[in-house]
């Protein structure tokens, strides 16, 4: 097995610099994101590491030989600290002129619409770029990005990309729901350099006559509109058109939600998202179309310029997601090396170099699930595809092609599986047949859509091409939906902690070293990692059986309470929530704590009065009864929800409570009023819209 042994023992990454550089950079970025360190200490570490490298080069030869490990350690410290500093400087909140640092409640903000408005059920959503802060007649240049939701009215319908607005209303800070196990929306927005949001009515803003539209962005938007118009015109207005738009340019606004769920259940949602596969198809097509150019240096430079320009134009047109940027940078490096420098590219080095450049440009990208899965999938294919493919031999070409697709799918799953389970808590059992069906069909559809755009000036040809694409998409969707409805199609509610995920990667590394490099200690590493992961799971199970808590979820418009005793949970609230999207927050919280619905002991409910584990909770969601109470009712917690028209003083006349909880189903004005009243009365107060869900260990 010459290939297998050389793959790890004489591994390419031992000869490529970027593979060695990316590890400390990622470590520094990750550490700074989760455990921030003072910029002063980071700069001091950089200076000391650089000075150490400079001094080492001036040591006598015998000392440099005996301390040969020192440059590697110093370089690691240097890159680690540089990555941490890049995180600090990359955060817009630390930059000079950030609007939140120079504006006050009396200021007006001059902003510009940075993205076309997206139609939502009750609003229109976009991102605004801050241009300046206005204090009376004084204007101070500023920067920043704000998420904006405009009411659905005739005024917001007229807004376009590049319009400038004057807004005399300060935005509010984006907050997470705080519900256990749910998506951290605040952290996701912070990674996009957005920390504030607006809910705007027509009276809150004024449209200015000035406009500032980028020529490049305007051209890309026009191209996107042309593609969307053409696809809708010739493939119809149904779910097939939404799928066609997603496959070609990554436009997901018209996708059917049930259809997306079917693709997710079968583990092929990557087919819908614009990914490296689309860039690879485009790259291969461009090379084929330009093959007529002579093999000369000037022609190669022109070929490289055309390929790189079209690749990056497509990447920007589709929204420049993490996987698309990864592929664009990789193919740019390969193209430059092949046609400009006339040197073959080392794939591992190209992959590491693309990650290094992207993370240096935007260090927050390391937290993006798409970025992680994209690089893990490519690395996994590079490491495991050839060993898996060589396990079986088929003399028939069609069987060999099918086995190639199976081997690629299996190889990609090796390194992406732990992260996928950690993020999504599920595993699709039929991902292999789904890939065998969807990947070839989607490839044909993508090429067909390109042909459709080319023949769109000729309506008869465009109609036939659009009809063929429509039926192909219908067939692909039907196959995927059928696979998703088969028994045991999806394993749900899989729990995996971050520590277990790390141990699983050590398990995979040990097995890979033992199998491919014939390194016997790798098997021991795998065994130890397996037992550590099992021990963590057992400890989590024991901890779940000991828990007893009260959870009041932060869901707008509803009252949702879970009383937890061990692994059993009893719901107290509005049952209709489980049929809505808000019910996902409860499902995520129960998965996080390993809970199953049922009856718990020490639980009693009488209307809006709940008693559990010796604690009492009263829910006030309507007006108080008339008259004065003869004796105050003693309770531990008092929940104000659904906007009851009461004051804290009136509530305290009836109840003697330890803590007031202000739910999420209240207006902003009433919440602020109750908060002020509780502060003046010296009453402990938990505000869900600011502090997240209420969780109390009992």
């Amino acid at each position: 097995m010459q290939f297998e042994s050389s793959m790890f023992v004489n591994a390419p990454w031992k000869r490529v610099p970027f593979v060695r550089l990316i590890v400390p950079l990622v470590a520094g970025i990750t550490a700074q994101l989760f455990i921030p360190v003072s910029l002063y200490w980071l700069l001091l570490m950089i200076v000391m590491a650089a000075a150490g490298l400079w001094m080492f080069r001036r040591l006598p030869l015998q000392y440099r030989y005996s301390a040969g490990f020192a440059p590697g350690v110093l370089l690691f410290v240097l890159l680690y600290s540089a990555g941490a500093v890049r995180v600090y400087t990359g955060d817009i909140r630390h930059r000079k002129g950030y609007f939140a640092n120079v504006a006050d409640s009396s200021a007006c903000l001059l902003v510009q619409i940075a993205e076309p408005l997206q139609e939502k059920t009750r609003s229109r959503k976009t991102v605004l770029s801050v241009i300046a802060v206005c204090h009376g007649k004084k204007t101070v240049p500023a920067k920043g990005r704000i998420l904006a939701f405009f009411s659905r009215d005739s005024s917001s319908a007229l807004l376009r990309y590049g319009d400038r607005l004057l807004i005399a209303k300060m935005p509010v800070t984006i907050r997470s729901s705080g519900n256990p196990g749910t998506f951290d929306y605040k952290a996701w927005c912070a990674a996009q350099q957005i920390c504030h949001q607006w809910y705007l009515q027509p009276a809150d803003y004024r449209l200015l006559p000035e406009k500032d539209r980028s020529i490049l962005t305007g051209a890309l938007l026009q191209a996107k509109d042309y593609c969307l118009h053409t696809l809708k015109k010739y493939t119809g207005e149904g779910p097939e058109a939404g799928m066609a738009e997603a496959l070609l340019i990554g436009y997901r606004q018209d996708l059917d939600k049930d259809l997306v769920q079917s693709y997710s259940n079968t583990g092929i949602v990557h087919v819908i998202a614009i990914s490296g596969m689309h860039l690879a198809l485009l790259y291969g097509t461009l090379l084929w179309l330009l093959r007529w150019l002579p093999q000369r240096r000037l022609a190669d430079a022109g070929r490289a310029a055309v390929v790189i320009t079209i690749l990056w134009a497509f990447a920007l047109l589709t929204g420049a997601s993490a996987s698309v940027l990864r592929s664009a940078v990789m193919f740019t490096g390969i193209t430059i090396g092949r046609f400009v420098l006339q040197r073959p590219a080392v794939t591992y080095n190209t992959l590491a170099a693309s990650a290094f450049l992207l993370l240096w440009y935007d260090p927050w990208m390391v937290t993006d699930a798409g970025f992680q899965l994209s690089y893990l999938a490519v690395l996994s294919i590079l490491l495991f595809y050839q060993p898996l493919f060589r396990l079986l031999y088929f003399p028939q070409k069609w069987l060999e092609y099918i086995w190639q697709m199976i081997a690629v799918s299996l190889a990609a799953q090796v390194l992406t599986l732990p992260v996928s389970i950690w993020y999504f808590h599920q595993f699709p059992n039929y991902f292999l047949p789904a890939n065998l069906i969807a990947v070839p069909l989607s490839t044909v559809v993508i090429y067909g859509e390109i042909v459709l755009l080319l023949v769109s000036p000729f309506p008869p040809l465009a109609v036939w091409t659009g009809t063929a694409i429509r039926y192909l998409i219908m067939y692909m969707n039907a196959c995927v939906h059928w696979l998703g409805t088969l028994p045991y199609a999806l394993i749900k509610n899989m729990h995996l902690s971050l520590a277990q995920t790390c141990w699983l990667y050590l398990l995979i590394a040990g097995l890979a070293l033992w199998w491919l490099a014939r390194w016997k200690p790798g098997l021991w590493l795998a065994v130890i990692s397996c037992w550590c992961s099992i021990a963590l799971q057992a400890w989590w199970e024991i901890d779940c059986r000991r828990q007893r808590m009260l959870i009041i979820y932060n869901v707008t418009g509803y009252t949702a309470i879970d009383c937890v005793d061990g692994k059993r949970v009893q719901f107290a609230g509005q049952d209709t929530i489980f049929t809505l999207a808000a019910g996902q927050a409860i499902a995520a919280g129960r998965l996080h704590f390993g809970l199953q619905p049922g009856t718990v002991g020490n639980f009693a409910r009488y209307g809006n009065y709940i008693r559990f584990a010796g604690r009492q909770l009263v829910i006030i969601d309507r007006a108080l009864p008339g008259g004065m109470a003869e004796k105050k009712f003693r309770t531990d917690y008092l929940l104000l929800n659904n906007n009851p028209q009461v004051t804290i003083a009136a509530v305290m006349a009836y109840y003697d409570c330890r803590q007031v909880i202000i739910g999420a189903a209240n207006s902003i004005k009433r919440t602020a009023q109750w908060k002020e009243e509780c502060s003046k009365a010296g009453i402990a107060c938990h505000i869900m819209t600011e502090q997240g869900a209420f969780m109390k260990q009992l």
Side-chain angles (χ1 to χ4, degrees):
M1 302 293 290
Q2 180 65 31
F3 170 80
E4 296 173 357
S5 60
S6 64
M7 186 172 182
F8 280 88
V9 177
N10 300 317
W13 53 74
K14 291 189 174 183
R15 305 188 300 275
V16 290
F18 274 105
V19 175
R20 296 194 296 266
L21 297 180
I22 191 63
V23 175
L25 181 72
V26 172
I29 290 173
T30 307
Q32 182 69 3
L33 285 173
F34 292 100
I35 310 175
V37 180
S38 170
L39 182 63
Y40 169 81
W41 290 107
L42 293 174
L43 293 175
L44 182 61
M45 289 172 64
I46 290 176
V47 171
M48 292 178 64
L53 287 171
W54 181 82
M55 293 173 60
F56 182 84
R57 293 298 299 265
R58 282 151 180 77
L59 290 175
L61 183 61
Q62 64 271 23
Y63 293 112
R64 281 188 283 165
Y65 179 79
S66 59
F69 64 90
V73 174
L74 292 172
L75 184 62
F76 185 95
V77 173
L78 180 64
L79 288 170
Y80 177 94
S81 305
V85 169
R86 185 66 189 92
V87 172
Y88 185 91
T89 58
D91 191 338
I92 195 170
R93 291 168 292 186
H94 297 150
R95 298 179 190 172
K96 184 179 180 181
Y98 181 55
F99 78 93
N101 299 332
V102 296
D104 54 33
S105 58
S106 63
C108 296
L109 295 183
L110 177 63
V111 300
Q112 179 177 314
I113 299 178
E115 297 178 1
L117 277 70
Q118 299 178 16
E119 297 290 337
K120 299 295 181 181
T121 305
R122 300 179 180 178
S123 63
R124 293 184 173 96
K125 175 185 174 184
T126 188
V127 174
L128 303 177
S129 295
V130 178
I131 300 174
V133 176
C134 304
H135 298 277
K137 296 183 179 181
K138 181 181 178 182
T139 301
V140 179
K143 62 184 67 174
R145 286 160 55 85
I146 303 173
L147 190 64
F149 296 89
F150 292 89
S151 60
R152 289 179 63 90
D153 50 54
S154 57
S155 298
S156 62
L158 300 175
L159 299 177
R160 297 292 183 268
Y161 159 75
D163 288 347
R164 290 193 173 187
L165 307 174
L166 187 63
I167 303 177
K169 176 182 178 181
M170 290 304 296
V172 296
T173 304
I174 296 176
R175 304 183 187 276
S176 291
S177 66
N179 293 319
T182 55
F183 174 69
D184 192 343
Y185 181 67
K186 179 181 178 180
W188 182 84
C189 288
Q192 316 302 315
Q193 301 296 301
I194 301 174
C195 301
H196 295 79
Q197 61 185 358
W198 259 319
Y199 297 92
L200 298 172
Q201 300 292 333
D204 296 328
Y205 61 90
R206 188 176 70 187
L207 178 62
L208 302 179
E210 297 86 0
K211 302 181 187 298
D212 185 11
R213 294 171 179 164
S214 167
I215 297 177
L216 175 61
T217 305
L220 291 173
L221 291 176
Q222 288 182 357
K224 178 181 286 189
D225 290 340
Y226 173 76
C227 293
L228 294 176
H229 173 74
T230 303
L231 292 174
K232 288 180 179 178
K233 181 178 179 180
Y234 293 109
T235 62
E237 295 286 344
E240 292 78 21
M243 179 61 67
E245 295 163 3
L247 285 173
L248 184 63
I249 58 174
Y251 186 80
R252 301 169 63 92
Q253 303 303 317
D254 297 331
L255 275 175
D256 182 75
K257 292 183 179 180
D258 294 333
L259 188 60
V260 174
Q261 189 61 47
S262 297
Y263 277 79
S264 178
N265 291 344
T266 50
I268 56 171
V269 74
H270 62 87
V271 172
I272 301 176
I274 296 295
S275 61
M277 180 187 74
H278 298 75
L279 268 293
L281 292 175
L282 180 60
Y283 181 74
T285 302
L286 290 173
L287 292 183
W288 182 78
L289 292 174
L290 298 173
R291 72 189 188 281
W292 57 272
L293 289 174
Q295 300 295 323
R296 297 177 181 174
R297 195 170 188 85
L298 184 60
D300 285 343
R303 185 186 286 111
V306 171
V307 170
I308 292 172
T309 301
I310 295 178
L311 282 177
W312 278 100
F314 179 77
L316 296 174
L317 177 67
T318 58
S321 64
S323 58
V324 171
L325 287 176
R326 186 264 306 161
S327 299
V329 174
M330 282 191 65
F331 284 122
T332 299
I334 292 172
T335 303
I336 292 174
R338 178 178 175 181
F339 297 112
V340 179
L341 302 179
Q342 307 294 328
R343 295 177 61 183
V346 179
T347 310
Y348 293 100
N349 194 33
T350 307
L351 182 68
S354 66
F356 188 94
L357 294 174
L358 288 177
L359 290 178
W360 192 258
Y361 170 74
D362 182 9
W364 296 83
M365 200 176 289
V366 76
T367 63
D368 184 78
F371 179 89
Q372 298 167 14
L373 290 171
S374 176
Y375 275 94
L376 286 173
V378 174
L379 180 60
S380 190
I381 291 171
L382 291 175
L383 291 174
F384 301 109
Y385 165 67
Q386 285 291 348
L388 286 172
F389 178 71
R390 296 191 180 195
L391 290 177
L392 297 176
Y393 171 74
F394 297 97
Q396 297 85 356
K397 289 294 184 182
W398 65 276
L399 284 176
E400 182 183 19
Y401 176 72
I402 293 176
W403 174 237
Q404 282 180 345
M405 293 183 60
I406 293 174
V408 168
S409 298
L410 290 174
Q413 285 288 334
V414 174
L415 292 183
T416 58
L417 180 61
V419 167
S420 297
I421 296 176
W422 181 45
Y423 276 122
F424 309 115
H425 311 293
Q426 62 184 25
F427 178 75
N429 292 321
Y430 301 141
F431 71 92
L432 275 179
N435 274 288
L436 292 176
I437 294 172
V439 171
L441 285 178
S442 63
T443 303
V444 174
V445 169
I446 291 170
Y447 279 121
E449 291 177 296
I450 295 174
V451 172
L452 175 61
L453 294 177
L454 294 175
V455 302
S456 59
F458 310 99
L461 289 176
V463 170
W464 283 100
T465 306
T467 303
I469 292 172
R470 185 167 182 265
Y471 280 106
L472 274 176
I473 294 176
M474 287 177 62
Y475 177 72
M476 180 175 68
N477 292 344
C479 291
V480 171
H481 178 72
W482 175 73
L483 284 173
T485 56
L486 289 176
Y488 310 108
L490 192 67
I491 302 175
K492 297 182 178 181
N493 299 330
M494 300 178 69
H495 176 268
L496 198 66
S497 65
L498 178 59
Q500 285 177 291
T501 304
C502 296
W503 282 114
L504 282 181
Y505 276 113
L506 287 176
L507 169 64
I508 293 171
L511 290 175
L513 290 169
W514 172 69
W515 174 37
L516 300 177
R518 297 293 186 262
W519 189 57
K520 293 182 178 179
L523 185 59
W524 285 106
L525 175 62
V527 171
I528 293 172
S529 302
C530 181
W531 278 108
C532 288
S533 181
I534 293 173
L536 287 173
Q537 182 68 20
W539 181 262
W540 178 75
E541 288 284 344
I542 294 171
D543 195 47
C544 286
R545 296 178 188 278
R546 294 175 177 173
Q547 63 193 357
R548 180 179 290 176
M549 68 179 77
L550 176 69
I551 306 174
I552 305 177
Y553 293 95
N554 182 11
V555 288
T556 304
Y558 290 88
T559 300
I561 304 169
D562 268 346
C563 298
V564 179
D565 189 4
K567 299 196 70 173
R568 307 293 290 178
V569 58
Q570 187 157 339
F571 182 73
Q574 297 161 277
D575 294 331
T576 54
I577 193 174
F578 292 104
T579 62
L580 304 173
Q584 297 176 2
I586 302 174
R590 292 180 176 182
L591 176 62
H592 181 74
F593 292 113
L595 304 175
Q596 294 294 331
T599 303
V600 300
N602 301 320
F603 176 87
R605 181 177 184 181
Y606 306 97
N608 283 2
Y609 166 77
I610 296 173
R611 183 177 179 83
F612 172 64
R615 302 293 176 90
Q616 299 176 114
L617 169 68
V618 173
I619 304 172
I620 298 179
D621 54 5
R622 60 180 66 92
L624 295 170
M628 293 296 295
E630 295 182 2
K631 184 179 180 181
K632 289 186 179 181
F633 184 85
R634 189 177 183 83
T635 181
D636 295 285
Y637 310 109
L638 196 148
L639 173 62
L640 297 172
N641 217 20
N642 293 328
N643 231 27
Q645 297 184 8
V646 299
T647 63
I648 296 299
V651 170
M652 291 300 108
Y654 281 89
Y655 300 98
D656 181 10
C657 70
R658 292 165 46 188
Q659 187 171 12
V660 172
I661 304 165
I662 302 177
N666 297 301
S667 66
I668 298 175
K669 181 179 179 180
R670 199 168 295 278
T671 299
Q673 174 190 336
W674 288 334
K675 178 182 178 181
E676 184 179 356
E677 291 176 357
C678 286
S679 177
K680 290 180 178 179
I683 301 172
C685 178
H686 181 96
I687 304 171
M688 286 192 180
T689 54
E690 298 180 3
Q691 299 168 265
F694 179 80
M695 291 184 290
K696 187 68 176 180
Q697 296 285 344
L698 304 178

